[in-house]
Amino acid sequence: MVVPRLIERKRDGGVLTGDEWRELIAHYATDDVPDYQMAALAMAVFFRGLSPEELGALTGAMLDSGSRLPRTPGGAMRVDKHSTGGVGDKTSLILAPLLAACGVAVPMMSGRGLGHTGGTLDKLEAIPGFTTRMPLDRAAHQLDTLGVVMFGQTEEIVPADRRLYALRDVTGTVESIPLITASIMSKKLAEQLDALVLDVKVGSGAFMPALEDARTLARTMIGVGEQAGCRTVALLTAMDRPLGRAAGNALEVAESIQALRGEGTGDLLEVTLELGAEMLLLANETMTRPQAITTLKQAIRSGAALEKFREVIRWQGGDPAVVDDLAVLPTAPVIRDVLAGHSGRMPPLPPRALGELIIALGGGRRVAADNVDPAVGLELIPRAGQRVEGGEVIAIVHARTDADADAAESSLRRAIDTAWQDRAEPLPLIVERITASETTPWNEVR
Ligand code: URA
């Protein structure tokens, strides 16, 4: 294999064979291909794309660079959900115990927040004592015994992606649909799933803001999943505004626990139930959608989902009392109400601006090595489209200092004023459902 010839072929619009991709990634994973050559190849892929065969070969080669989550034959259907990320998106925290309470095995391997979006691992670690780091055999044991594990990508899982993602991050090659697909799907396939539900975000705060790009990303990931024998379905959901009421690590845990207690409402509950229904339908082909929704609601109403979360917390070293007493979570010293300056309909607030505001409060990262403050964040009271009166509380800022709260309040006011002037109509909460064979507008699904 002569790497410069492969780079030239891809640069000129040619195709690499499956064997060439496999050899290249195997040598990259062992440091025999240097970063500068891989960066050039990633840029060639960025501009030229990959054929479906190349994409399958690249994903498989990345998967083979590491270990898989062990799986013993038989047992419950293994189903996961992956979101392309956003602000206030805490559905993983609710879905993992909820689906496990319904008999589905959920290996929820998640990431940390980076950029303006939050990360499930940071949220879980807001629970005192909770650990998301564990070796693969322990994760597999917990999954087999409890039915759910919520953990971080270990060193053994897809090491080629660790290196390639870090390289793409500094070489302008992140926003490539085939490279994103290979990166995400190699990690999901390493969980040895029977099925996967993708929550692909659309709108200004999404990784792929435009509907057509989000659709292409969803279809590309579905193609790779199905080709690898993992049934894959996607919902395209709105990220032109944050999801739910809370944004910030401990605040999002609190909102998730409230949902598991049966106190969930609005857009968060709706998206969670619909993603959960997709997971149940993939695990159980004889179930209808209304039956799936009823099963999920029943698991919440009976307390089974909350008990499952208590067990997850206990297994992973956290303080399980948090499910009964939210005061166990860290709290910020400064809590400040933000009042509406005038009356009107609440506009969709831009997730990127709010994500930046949370980073400025200390609740997110600018670089991977930053520490996050679990206690800080925002609560957004009215939903997009809801009428508010001047003087009403529209948000609550949770900050470490008065100065931080001042800065957050003025950023929030600027974001609200701009959104108010833009008069953008909120996107439908769920835009469409995509499978290997069809794309259906959501209003025709229900
Ligand atoms: N998340 C990933 O894991 N990989 C990407 O390439 C983009 C988002």
Side-chain angles (χ1 to χ4, degrees):
M1 181 187 60
V2 184
V3 180
R5 299 295 91 72
L6 302 185
I7 298 170
E8 286 161 11
R9 196 176 336 137
K10 197 70 235 170
R11 180 199 65 193
D12 296 340
V15 166
L16 309 195
T17 67
D19 283 343
E20 286 169 334
W21 279 113
R22 281 183 280 277
E23 207 182 331
L24 187 74
I25 294 298
H27 282 97
Y28 182 58
T30 52
D31 263 357
D32 295 325
V33 170
D35 274 344
Y36 55 81
Q37 287 184 322
M38 205 46 149
L41 189 64
M43 190 57 89
V45 172
F46 183 94
F47 284 113
R48 294 296 191 169
L50 292 179
S51 71
E53 293 72 28
E54 285 185 288
L55 181 54
L58 173 60
T59 309
M62 287 175 54
L63 175 59
D64 287 341
S65 72
S67 311
R68 292 163 170 77
L69 184 64
R71 179 159 191 181
T72 39
M77 291 287 280
R78 212 182 248 195
V79 186
D80 195 7
K81 187 261 337 175
H82 176 84
S83 161
T84 56
V87 174
D89 182 358
K90 69 278 290 174
T91 60
S92 293
L93 272 67
I94 310 167
L95 284 169
L98 175 55
L99 269 291
C102 297
V104 177
V106 189
M108 187 67 78
M109 187 172 73
S110 310
R112 297 197 177 276
L114 194 57
H116 70 283
T117 65
T120 299
L121 299 184
D122 297 324
K123 295 172 200 184
L124 288 168
E125 287 173 4
I127 300 170
F130 197 101
T131 178
T132 57
R133 287 172 66 89
M134 66 179 82
L136 278 182
D137 54 353
R138 204 183 118 200
H141 172 66
Q142 182 175 327
L143 182 61
D144 288 344
T145 316
L146 189 63
V148 51
V149 58
M150 304 176 83
F151 68 122
Q153 187 187 346
T154 66
E155 300 290 329
E156 311 112 280
I157 293 260
V158 199
D161 179 63
R162 265 175 193 280
R163 192 161 162 209
L164 183 55
Y165 189 80
L167 183 67
R168 287 167 54 213
D169 202 27
V170 292
T171 55
T173 50
V174 167
E175 293 88 355
S176 150
I177 286 179
L179 294 178
I180 294 170
T181 299
S183 166
I184 292 175
M185 293 306 289
S186 57
K187 287 176 284 196
K188 290 290 122 185
L189 295 175
E191 295 176 0
Q192 304 213 68
L193 300 172
D194 292 300
L196 172 66
V197 174
L198 297 166
D199 178 5
V200 178
K201 302 292 183 190
V202 202
S204 64
F207 205 42
M208 293 276 149
L211 179 57
E212 202 41 57
D213 290 340
R215 230 179 235 148
T216 307
L217 177 61
R219 288 186 184 136
T220 310
M221 290 198 286
I222 289 169
V224 169
E226 295 274 336
Q227 201 189 4
C230 170
R231 298 220 26 226
T232 310
V233 170
L235 296 187
L236 262 49
T237 72
M239 190 40 70
D240 58 337
R241 59 204 182 259
L243 181 61
R245 172 185 162 120
N249 296 306
L251 295 169
E252 292 190 47
V253 172
E255 191 179 13
S256 304
I257 290 174
Q258 284 165 337
L260 287 166
R261 284 178 182 167
E263 297 156 17
T265 55
D267 57 353
L268 174 63
L269 184 65
E270 187 178 338
V271 170
T272 304
L273 289 177
E274 296 298 352
L275 290 167
E278 295 294 343
M279 294 171 79
L280 266 189
L281 292 173
L282 286 168
N284 184 342
E285 284 174 7
T286 59
M287 209 178 241
T288 63
R289 186 175 298 276
Q291 283 169 339
I293 298 279
T294 305
T295 305
L296 295 167
K297 286 185 174 168
Q298 179 54 24
I300 294 177
R301 205 173 303 123
S302 68
L306 188 68
E307 278 316 302
K308 194 59 87 168
F309 195 41
R310 188 196 303 276
E311 284 304 301
V312 173
I313 297 169
R314 199 193 311 277
W315 272 69
Q316 298 189 219
D319 183 351
V322 70
V323 302
D324 305 311
D325 181 8
L326 296 179
V328 166
L329 290 167
T331 48
V334 181
I335 296 180
R336 166 99 48 97
D337 286 350
V338 178
L339 309 182
H342 54 88
S343 308
R345 263 191 348 131
M346 197 64 189
L349 295 182
R352 277 176 202 273
L354 300 189
E356 284 300 326
L357 187 162
I358 290 165
I359 294 173
L361 282 169
R365 293 188 180 76
R366 290 201 192 283
V367 294
D370 283 351
N371 286 323
V372 297
D373 183 340
V376 300
L378 279 179
E379 287 176 88
L380 301 162
I381 313 299
R383 260 181 267 148
Q386 201 175 319
R387 186 168 168 84
V388 293
E389 302 303 328
E392 205 178 307
V393 179
I394 49 173
I396 304 171
V397 172
H398 296 246
R400 187 60 47 200
T401 65
D402 279 315
D404 286 352
D406 291 344
E409 184 175 351
S410 25
S411 305
L412 186 59
R413 285 200 181 286
R414 267 197 308 279
I416 294 175
D417 287 346
T418 312
W420 231 310
Q421 279 153 21
D422 288 350
R423 295 186 174 277
E425 280 301 315
L427 285 171
L429 181 61
I430 306 179
V431 181
E432 53 195 30
R433 175 177 189 265
I434 306 184
T435 66
S437 55
E438 58 192 14
T439 298
T440 315
W442 188 247
N443 55 14
E444 291 173 22
V445 172
R446 303 195 69 214

